Amino acid sequence: MKTVTQDRPYSQTLTRLREAGLRPTRQRLALGRLLFDGGDRHVTAEALHEEAQAAGVSVSLATVYNTLHQFTEAHLLREVVVDSARTYFDTNVSDHHHFFLENSGSLMDIDGNKIAITGLPQAPDGTDVARVDVIVRLQGTPRAAE
Amino acid sequence: MKTVTQDRPYSQTLTRLREAGLRPTRQRLALGRLLFDGGDRHVTAEALHEEAQAAGVSVSLATVYNTLHQFTEAHLLREVVVDSARTYFDTNVSDHHHFFLENSGSLMDIDGNKIAITGLPQAPDGTDVARVDVIVRLQGTPRAAE
DNA sequence: TCTCATATTTAGAATTATTCTAAGGTGTTG
DNA sequence: CAACACCTTAGAATAATTCTAAATATGAGA
């Protein structure tokens, strides 16, 4: 008896796209699968594009950009601003923060429940806090870790 | 009796440049004065360039970039990464964090002594914490504030 | 299944911030 | 004030991202 998961490798992504009101095109399914099958990931547009090529998925860089932005609007991804040179997209959309390895340009999640920030001043009148980002910038190379 | 400050408007910047081992050229003095005479500031290269032009200081955009980077290396400025579209430089180099007004693209300091972050996981083996940045992203427009 | 309106993809041009290059100008030191 | 290393600069070059407009694919309905 075959497992259901093997029969429907795209199912998770398909459902996510449907729920987001995005047509499940070949490109979006393939990119969605690369992004969501497996653990949490941090990607740049260029990196995802190369990964798609390597996986034999033909998709233009423009579409990678479009898709990443659409996924972000649909809250399937979120943008992480850590480096003014490039934009990172994070598949973990829950409350969390980041370690940023400045040498390699890679990111690691810090669970949002684990840390607490106290003493934050009130937001100015007329404004609302959209989000609080904590970025721990690291120097050096981690031993035996991704 | 004239005040000393009036007689030597550049003195502070001159001293800072000397201490940083940077030649006090016309451009660096002028940009330094724009940056450091007055309270804490957050500027982009483009904005500082325009400001210099408006003040009648002839300086190229390339020099503005060079100078901002040299000042940053000399710890007279620090870079703030909040927006992937442009780089901000902050004249406040003491321990602090930021409110970022996403509508206007402006920054406000949050005193580093006022806030505390607890529960941060250890940095991975082989790495050191270079800095912790907290960015509070705000939506909306503050009433009567810069 | 076929058709059609609409959404999507795409190549390539355009944009934008930033960096580079190489040539001429300036500050400092002896 | 000569000499040299450091600076500035115009303009070209780069790199990430967005735009454009034309071609293609999708989903709904007959």
Side-chain angles (χ1 to χ4, degrees), chain A residues 5-69:
Chain A
T5 36
Q6 271 179 348
D7 288 347
R8 300 187 263 156
Y10 287 87
S11 62
Q12 200 124 204
T13 295
L14 220 192
T15 306
R16 287 184 193 227
L17 292 179
R18 287 253 155 80
E19 283 171 355
L22 293 168
R23 284 190 183 173
T25 63
R26 174 176 62 75
Q27 291 86 342
R28 298 212 269 232
L29 282 166
L31 295 176
R33 193 156 69 141
L34 288 173
L35 289 168
F36 306 122
D37 285 6
D40 291 329
R41 306 199 49 194
H42 304 93
V43 302
T44 62
E46 289 283 355
L48 182 60
H49 184 232
E50 278 166 30
E51 195 178 329
Q53 309 276 262
V57 176
S58 167
V59 57
S60 72
L61 185 55
T63 296
V64 172
Y65 273 104
N66 289 341
T67 302
L68 287 171
H69 286 135

